[in-house]
Amino acid sequence: VVEGTPKALKRYNKLMLRRIDWSEKGNEDTMADDDDDEPNQCVLIWQGAIEEFKFTRFKFEKCASQGAAKKVLKEAGVEHYWDLACKCEWEGVDQIE
């Protein structure tokens, strides 16, 4: 989930969807956290305007399970974002179970 001004969102989208090579393997330090051999990828699920920001500060949240991810979104009042992500189907990406 990313919130911000139109200019900031445009730059972030460009970074995530064009500039970062998600297929590139990282160094040994970053690979220690990843136990699976599935390829990394970044997919834009939804983009649009909302009336007010739901998150108060910039932070990264790494969730170990789907329940943990849903809890983080529920605390911000946007639990439906997770439901939307689970329902989406796009080419080359497995659905979230």
Side-chain angles (χ1 to χ4, degrees):
V1 177
V2 179
E3 295 178 332
T5 64
K7 184 177 180 180
L9 291 175
K10 182 178 177 181
R11 288 181 177 177
Y12 190 80
N13 280 347
K14 187 175 180 181
L15 171 69
M16 298 300 288
L17 299 174
R18 292 192 218 160
R19 292 179 56 204
I20 294 177
D21 183 6
W22 292 101
S23 63
E24 183 178 295
K25 291 288 184 184
N27 62 28
E28 292 178 16
D29 295 336
T30 59
M31 294 304 289
D33 293 338
D34 295 334
D35 294 334
D36 58 5
D37 291 329
E38 295 181 19
N40 290 327
Q41 51 191 317
C42 181
V43 178
L44 179 64
I45 296 175
W46 180 83
Q47 155 177 319
I50 56 174
E51 290 184 21
E52 60 184 52
F53 292 152
K54 299 294 183 178
F55 297 91
T56 56
R57 58 187 173 93
F58 182 86
K59 68 178 181 176
F60 288 96
E61 192 77 40
K62 185 174 183 177
C63 300
S65 68
Q66 292 183 25
K70 201 164 187 175
K71 180 182 175 191
V72 169
L73 294 173
K74 186 175 184 175
E75 289 171 359
V78 291
E79 186 177 12
H80 60 282
Y81 288 179
W82 184 258
D83 299 331
L84 176 66
C86 290
K87 290 179 186 177
C88 285
E89 294 183 26
W90 49 86
E91 189 175 323
V93 178
D94 293 332
Q95 271 192 309
I96 299 170
E97 298 173 352

